[in-house]
Amino acid sequence: MKVRNLSFSSRVDTGHSFIWVYQLEDMGYTGWEIVQEGFQTLHNGNLGKVREIRDTTDLKITMHLPFSDMNLAGLNDGIRNEALRQMHRCLELGNEIVELAVVHPGYLSPYGSQFPERAWQTHIGSIQDVCDTAADYGITIAVENMPEMPKIFGKYPDEMLRTLEEVNRDNVGMTLDVGHANTAGAVDEFLEKCKEHILHMHIHDNHGRSDEHLPLGRGTVQWKKVMESLKGYNGRLVTEMASLEEGAECIEYIKSI
């Protein structure tokens, strides 16, 4: 099988240089998802390098908004507002570079666990805020489903559908993370119930128990079935790997199915 809309993403720090990104096209990738974490976070010092990649390659660049220490359902307004400020800044710097940005849902903090509905509404309001800022830059927001872990929103299809309905913005859709869905035993259900909302996909493997981020074919995800169900899908398929070597392994696996 040949996939033309394949992107590579890695949250592992690669140092201050983006030289490695220039290897992606030779490997068979047509896109790069830049993760707003660590050295990859956009700032005035590296913005020129990312623009150069945009201008000197044919890579389609997407963005994963920051998620470490971020909680869009947090009930401490000062901390949540800082998280939103950082996301707004990433979107501002990503203007004219990306057309789509991925965001994680919120989760229940110890305090939020006492007021789960208030935390849910805060989560909705925060995503609306991110969408409204993104709209100013012509960027679409794709909310990502989460792995099976306590107190986090967005693990199951009905919860993701509720999120998208209540956010109610023209520039919002869903990132289907197949590996995350596998930990919840819900890959087929996501593909059935949420297909019309899926704008973007993350692909990695696991054994259904934890979010291992293994190369495709090393876990229990039924990839041939997943790929066959994607008829009509035109979004990116992003391998989220720890290294370029694992990214190359994913490409070879895809060719084999």
Side-chain angles (χ1 to χ4, degrees):
M1 177 178 290
K2 185 175 181 180
V3 178
R4 295 182 179 178
N5 52 345
L6 197 63
S7 292
F8 177 84
S9 178
S10 179
R11 63 182 180 183
V12 176
D13 268 338
T14 53
H16 294 281
S17 171
F18 290 121
I19 292 175
W20 62 271
V21 177
Y22 287 97
Q23 300 178 53
L24 294 178
E25 287 182 297
D26 289 338
M27 292 170 62
Y29 284 100
T30 60
W32 170 39
E33 184 149 297
I34 180 170
V35 183
Q36 299 306 288
E37 298 272 313
F39 290 134
Q40 290 190 57
T41 304
L42 288 177
H43 52 75
N44 290 331
N46 66 14
L47 192 57
K49 294 179 182 177
V50 177
R51 285 176 174 159
E52 183 178 343
I53 291 169
R54 176 200 62 189
D55 294 340
T56 59
T57 72
D58 291 322
L59 293 171
K60 178 78 171 181
I61 303 177
T62 56
M63 173 188 290
H64 198 312
L65 290 170
F67 49 89
S68 295
D69 307 314
M70 302 283 175
N71 183 9
L72 295 185
L75 299 184
N76 183 317
D77 289 340
I79 294 175
R80 183 175 58 86
N81 287 339
E82 173 59 22
L84 288 170
R85 185 196 69 79
Q86 291 189 29
M87 291 189 183
H88 294 168
R89 180 59 173 161
C90 290
L91 292 167
E92 178 186 4
L93 292 172
N95 183 31
E96 298 182 357
I97 296 173
V98 306
E99 296 177 357
L100 181 143
V102 178
V103 69
H104 281 189
Y107 57 88
L108 294 174
S109 66
Y111 182 59
S113 295
Q114 300 178 53
F115 304 97
E117 186 56 33
R118 180 180 164 196
W120 174 269
Q121 293 305 325
T122 301
H123 145 84
I124 296 298
S126 296
I127 297 175
Q128 288 174 328
D129 184 284
V130 171
C131 287
D132 292 344
T133 297
D136 292 339
Y137 302 113
I139 296 173
T140 296
I141 296 298
V143 186
E144 181 177 354
N145 62 296
M146 293 289 97
E148 180 62 65
M149 56 190 299
K151 300 184 182 300
I152 195 163
F153 296 137
K155 292 183 287 188
Y156 307 113
D158 289 345
E159 199 170 43
M160 287 299 297
L161 290 172
R162 180 186 171 193
T163 294
L164 297 176
E165 180 181 0
E166 294 185 12
V167 168
N168 191 29
R169 292 293 189 269
D170 291 337
N171 65 328
V172 72
M174 177 181 164
T175 292
L176 172 61
D177 188 303
V178 177
H180 290 177
N182 196 50
T183 68
V187 174
D188 291 346
E189 188 180 358
F190 266 111
L191 287 167
E192 179 183 347
K193 288 187 173 182
C194 301
K195 188 170 185 178
E196 66 181 279
H197 300 284
I198 298 170
L199 307 177
H200 194 66
M201 290 179 66
H202 288 166
I203 54 175
H204 49 92
D205 218 329
N206 59 63
H207 293 89
R209 297 183 296 274
S210 63
D211 189 24
E212 299 171 90
H213 278 258
L214 300 174
L216 276 61
R218 288 206 208 172
T220 59
V221 174
Q222 301 299 304
W223 288 108
K224 185 174 182 181
K225 184 178 180 181
V226 169
M227 295 299 183
E228 287 174 349
S229 72
L230 295 179
K231 292 179 180 177
Y233 174 74
N234 296 312
R236 308 301 301 177
L237 290 162
V238 185
T239 64
E240 293 188 306
M241 295 292 110
S243 66
L244 291 176
E245 290 74 18
E246 289 188 349
E249 184 177 335
C250 289
I251 287 181
E252 290 306 308
Y253 180 81
I254 290 171
K255 289 178 180 178
S256 73
I257 60 175

